[in-house]
Structures are given as structure tokens and as C-alpha cells.
Amino acid sequence: MKLVTAIIKPFKLDDVREALSEVGVQGITVTEVKGFGRQKGHTELYRGAEYVVDFLPKIKLEIAIDDDKVDGVIDAVTGAAATGKIGDGKIFVSSLEQVIRIRTGETGVEAV
Ligand SMILES: Nc1ncnc2c1ncn2[C@@H]1O[C@H](COP(=O)(O)OP(=O)(O)OP(=O)(O)O)[C@@H](O)[C@H]1O
Ligand SMILES: [Mg+2]
């Protein structure tokens, strides 16, 4: 199992959710976050030379999936979240050791 963590532009959330439901994702956790990437969120020069480091609002999606769905999820997020401009976001894929469905006690892939 894998945990896919995607950071996207907030206005892309609906598009990404739709794309994900088409590739068989069973659940998504969404969090409003702030962050910066390589441009450090700056939009202008400050006092001549120094860049102001600023955190920009982003949306974090967490999706637990079986290994065979990872490529589909990455394609769905990439396709729906891309604008081609800086700050489009990033996708992190980690190994997921265990999942437990609280109501039924199911574990592993059955619980996803
Ligand atoms: N290395 C990182 N570690 C943790 N979070 C990151 C990292 N890079 C980006 N992020 C998160 O992703 C968000 C979007 O990053 P962003 O798309 O600007 O990355 P980038 O590498 O600067 O790419 P681009 O040049 O397309 O802007 C950031 O605001 C931050 O929340
Ligand atoms: Mg950036």
C-alpha cells in the first residue's frame, strides 16, 4: 500500500477530486495548509535585493491506495492540478505499512 500526499493549488481541488473518483480512490483527506517551494513564495523584491519568504495557501490531499493504483492516482492528480505555472504543486509517495478500518476491524488492502 502507498500513501500519496499531494500539494495543489486550492482552486484545483474540485477538478482533482473528480479525477480521483474516476480512478477508483475510496477516500481522500483534505487539509488547508501553507507552504513554499523553490521560489519561496516570493512575489517581489524587498529592500532592493532580499526576497521575502512567504507561505502561500495550498491544499494537501492524502490518499491511501493499493500499489497497483499509484500510477493512476499520480496521473489523475497531475492531469487535473496542472496549470503549467509555478506553484502547481508536488506529489509525495510513501510506503504505507498498515490500514485499519475501525468499524469492521478489516486490515490492509481490505481496509483501504
Ligand atoms: N521539498 C518540499 N518539501 C515539502 N513540501 C514541499 C516541497 N516542495 C514543495 N512543497 C510544497 O508544495 C507546494 C507547492 O510547491 P511548488 O509547486 O511551488 O514547488 P516548486 O518545486 O517550487 O515547483 P515550481 O517551480 O513549479 O513552482 C509548496 O507550497 C509546499 O507546500
Ligand atoms: Mg514553486
Side-chain angles (χ1 to χ4, degrees), residues 27-49:
I28 307 172
T29 299
V30 177
T31 315
E32 291 179 9
V33 295
K34 288 181 178 175
F36 64 80
R38 293 177 195 212
Q39 295 80 17
K40 303 197 170 16
H42 73 80
T43 49
E44 56 189 26
L45 284 172
Y46 182 63
R47 287 183 183 163

Side-chain angles (χ1 to χ4, degrees), residues 9-24:
K9 290 181 170 173
F11 80 98
K12 283 293 193 176
L13 177 58
D14 282 347
D15 290 347
V16 172
R17 181 182 48 79
E18 270 176 41
L20 282 172
S21 61
E22 281 165 23
V23 294

